[in-house]
Amino acid sequence: MSTILTISDLTKKYRHADGDIYALNKVSFAVDKGDFVTITGSSGSGKTTLLLCLAGLIQSSGGTVQFQDFTITSASDSQLSHFRKSKVGFVMQSFALIPYLTAAENVMLPLAQAPMSGRQKQTAADEILRLVGLENRKNHLPKELSAGQRQRVAIARALINKPELILADEPTGNLDPTLSTDILDLLSTINKTQNLTILMVTHSPMAAAYGNRKIHLKDGEVVA
Ligand SMILES: Nc1ncnc2c1ncn2[C@@H]1O[C@H](COP(=O)(O)OP(=O)(O)OP(=O)(O)O)[C@@H](O)[C@H]1O
Ligand SMILES: [Mg+2]
């Protein structure tokens, strides 16, 4: 097993007129390539803040995050933007699909600046949509899809740039238990067949059970 991500004493202080908040306080853990890490903790415990720091979408206040030989916490904006485009796929609770684009067009969004022809992008989108079981819905708009299908489009979009790391924030938070199981099985299959590293935030013990490593946050600190 090789370490892909090392988080050391990661601290995030939000400044606020009502008083500063330590959303993360000296968080340390390491992730091996192919791990399925689940992150639990009550509301406000720092889970989303942790994912945002790992993606370099917000600046940490202390500590380091190292992804292979790339130090996220000291990278420039353009390095971070390249890192996100080439290495990271995001899956958010609200799906964040563009309403006037079809499933296939949403899935191709991360390839906008890729050196590929339109035909190559279509083929890549077709392949990924087949993987998530939506090959017969590629020309549907988000409003013409069920909630579970929309989330699968969001997962397909997160996978299209062949990321090395998937960051998922409550990917099943808006879904009923049956659909949640489908999505979790899909993530688990991708994790195993492609040895893709996944960090998933969840409130649900059922979802957390899918992880081979479990991180529990309490008031910005790792407690288990
Ligand atoms: N932009 C911000 N400015 C100030 N405080 C913030 C900001 N974003 C988050 N916080 C605070 O930081 C703490 C951690 O927030 P975070 O969103 O990481 O929690 P969470 O674990 O994801 O919660 P939830 O399960 O409700 O999504 C909370 O107390 C929150 O109020
Ligand atoms: Mg959150």
Side-chain angles (χ1 to χ4, degrees):
M1 276 295 167
S2 60
T3 304
I4 192 168
L5 190 65
T6 309
I7 297 148
S8 312
D9 287 333
L10 182 66
T11 296
K12 174 62 189 180
K13 180 168 86 171
Y14 287 114
R15 296 187 178 282
H16 197 276
D18 291 343
D20 294 347
I21 293 164
Y22 277 90
L24 297 174
N25 195 4
K26 293 189 178 288
V27 167
S28 300
F29 63 97
V31 177
D32 284 337
K33 183 162 173 54
D35 270 348
F36 192 150
V37 182
T38 54
I39 302 164
T40 52
S42 56
S43 180
S45 58
K47 306 180 297 297
T48 296
T49 302
L50 175 60
L51 289 194
L52 293 174
C53 285
L54 299 186
L57 283 166
I58 57 173
Q59 230 183 348
S60 53
S61 317
T64 56
V65 179
Q66 185 85 24
F67 178 86
Q68 293 167 337
D69 54 4
F70 179 62
T71 307
I72 294 168
T73 36
S74 59
S76 68
D77 284 350
S78 69
Q79 287 172 323
L80 286 171
S81 154
H82 178 259
F83 163 70
R84 282 190 294 270
K85 273 186 210 137
S86 57
K87 307 278 187 188
V88 188
F90 294 98
V91 184
M92 296 300 156
Q93 180 176 0
S94 58
F95 316 147
L97 299 178
I98 310 291
Y100 51 84
L101 297 181
T102 65
E105 288 165 344
N106 266 287
V107 169
M108 285 186 282
L109 277 177
L111 299 180
Q113 289 154 41
M116 296 164 76
S117 69
R119 173 62 65 93
Q120 286 172 318
K121 291 178 188 178
Q122 291 277 1
T123 305
D126 286 350
E127 259 172 48
I128 298 278
L129 283 166
R130 196 172 321 118
L131 180 73
V132 300
L134 285 179
E135 62 270 43
N136 57 355
R137 292 288 185 278
K138 63 180 181 179
N139 297 318
H140 283 233
L141 293 170
K143 69 176 179 195
E144 297 167 339
L145 296 169
S146 73
Q149 290 169 338
R150 278 178 221 160
Q151 188 59 304
R152 281 185 277 158
V153 173
I155 291 172
R157 185 179 56 187
L159 292 173
I160 189 107
N161 60 349
K162 302 207 189 315
E164 294 184 40
L165 182 67
I166 292 281
L167 300 175
D169 198 350
E170 295 270 8
T172 57
N174 281 326
L175 305 178
D176 72 30
T178 316
L179 284 177
S180 296
T181 308
D182 288 349
I183 295 295
L184 291 165
D185 287 341
L186 173 63
L187 286 173
S188 183
T189 302
I190 293 162
N191 167 250
K192 293 202 177 79
T193 58
Q194 309 191 6
N195 201 30
L196 182 59
T197 311
I198 301 180
L199 272 74
M200 179 179 78
V201 165
T202 182
H203 274 115
S204 139
M206 189 271 282
Y210 277 76
N212 70 310
R213 295 213 39 215
K214 301 178 177 67
I215 303 285
H216 188 74
L217 289 177
K218 187 166 189 283
D219 299 331
E221 296 184 20
V222 178
V223 291

